[in-house]
Amino acid sequence: METKEKIESPVSHSFKKTERLCSKKVIDKLFAEGESFLAFPIKVVYKVTELPQPVPVQAGFTVSKKIFKRAVKRNRIKRLMREAYRLNKQMLRVDADSQQMAVFFIFIGKELPDFAQVEKAMKKALYKLANSCAVAENKKA
């Protein structure tokens, strides 16, 4: 009987509890002082801040209850956004030693999307976020 070797990928495609944005204080500070941009149908609010966990980025996801009345649809969209983030988060190259960032992804579309639409928007959002972090880092230097 052969034993299957576990193939380790160089990039971790996990989304652990420590990477989830749960702190009420950090979320309040994020929405009060954070910057935002739009990568339709996702609005991104972010702030470089001190996080309670030793991770470079903590992310949160939300969908408007006003637009999507049924919790089933809201949960599906959040699940799609989390999966798209999990697969593409390596686009954000944030050094945990130098800075930490809190990010919130808000779905503002009016129709139930499929995964391809969400992933395309998430890639666009992460690309913009990486660029804005690089610009902020260059201004500090």
Side-chain angles (χ1 to χ4, degrees):
M1 220 164 36
E2 292 181 36
T3 58
K4 292 184 180 178
E5 292 181 28
K6 189 175 179 183
I7 299 172
E8 294 285 331
S9 67
V11 178
S12 173
H13 286 293
S14 63
F15 186 55
K16 296 185 171 105
K17 173 72 173 168
T18 56
E19 297 176 43
R20 295 177 193 259
L21 187 57
C22 300
S23 170
K24 180 100 169 88
K25 287 181 182 179
V26 175
I27 292 171
D28 289 342
K29 189 175 181 183
L30 174 66
F31 282 103
E33 303 169 10
E35 298 176 44
S36 67
F37 62 85
L38 191 65
F40 192 80
I42 297 174
K43 180 179 179 181
V44 181
V45 181
Y46 67 97
K47 179 163 179 41
V48 175
T49 185
E50 190 71 30
L51 297 174
Q53 299 290 333
V55 292
V57 180
Q58 281 191 336
F61 304 87
T62 189
V63 180
S64 171
K65 193 173 183 178
K66 194 173 189 179
I67 298 171
F68 294 96
K69 306 262 188 264
R70 303 266 175 186
V72 172
K73 290 183 179 181
R74 290 195 305 273
N75 292 339
R76 168 127 179 102
I77 295 168
K78 285 188 281 189
R79 200 175 315 119
L80 291 174
M81 287 196 303
R82 279 194 304 266
E83 181 67 4
Y85 174 78
R86 183 185 73 82
L87 293 173
N88 297 295
K89 69 180 180 180
Q90 72 275 4
M91 291 173 69
L92 278 177
R93 302 218 192 284
V94 180
D95 188 16
D97 298 331
S98 65
Q99 67 179 9
Q100 291 181 310
M101 182 187 309
V103 184
F104 221 89
F105 297 96
I106 305 166
F107 188 84
I108 58 169
K110 305 275 190 245
E111 296 175 6
L112 196 65
D114 62 348
F115 181 71
Q117 290 173 307
V118 173
E119 187 174 36
K120 183 179 175 186
M122 186 62 70
K123 283 181 178 179
K124 190 171 152 185
L126 291 172
Y127 180 75
K128 279 185 174 182
L129 191 58
N131 284 346
S132 62
C133 290
V135 168
E137 192 69 29
N138 289 339
K139 285 182 180 179
K140 287 181 182 178

